[in-house]
Amino acid sequence: MIDHFALFGLRQVFAALRKKPARNGGFVTPSLYRFVRHPLYAGWFITLWGTPSMSMGHLLFSAVCTSYVLIAVRYEERDLVDAVGRTYERYPQSTPMFIPAPVGASRVSV
């Protein structure tokens, strides 16, 4: 999790101005992140594909956006392993990427 200052790059800029490394808030898995690694992307997929009528334009848009997310998530997870370390390396083993595991499925503890 990051706060708004880190999200918009302000925390990193202020740390660079003070010539100090930007602090990392640590790795936590609140609420939906306990069930899927990328709940925001899963919500986007539902929004993109959950339509009662699919036009060719909407189909193309949904396919392009989905492709972009599927490519970008690989880079994002690689960067998270670099930023967080072993804790994030174990997280994908215990938590599915987009679709929650069935209730009662065995999960590795993070």
Side-chain angles (χ1 to χ4, degrees):
M1 284 184 60
I2 60 174
D3 59 18
H4 288 88
F5 293 111
L7 177 66
F8 295 115
L10 297 175
R11 184 171 309 287
Q12 296 87 331
V13 169
F14 290 135
L17 290 173
R18 291 181 293 171
K19 298 185 182 343
K20 294 183 179 181
R23 66 177 170 86
N24 183 354
F27 180 71
V28 295
T29 55
S31 63
L32 295 176
Y33 290 91
R34 292 183 196 136
F35 306 105
V36 291
R37 293 195 311 267
H38 303 286
L40 294 175
Y41 295 151
W44 273 108
F45 292 153
I46 292 168
T47 301
L48 289 169
W49 293 101
T51 181
S53 61
M54 180 71 74
S55 67
M56 287 304 291
H58 189 101
L59 176 66
L60 177 63
F61 178 74
S62 297
V64 169
C65 288
T66 299
S67 299
Y68 176 82
V69 168
L70 293 175
I71 293 167
V73 76
R74 302 293 180 192
Y75 290 102
E76 179 182 2
E77 287 197 339
R78 185 192 65 199
D79 291 345
L80 285 168
V81 168
D82 291 343
V84 179
R86 290 190 50 83
T87 305
Y88 195 85
E89 286 177 349
R90 290 189 306 264
Y91 183 52
Q93 297 170 0
S94 65
T95 310
M97 193 175 280
F98 302 113
I99 301 170
V103 175
S106 64
R107 295 170 52 159
V108 178
S109 170
V110 175

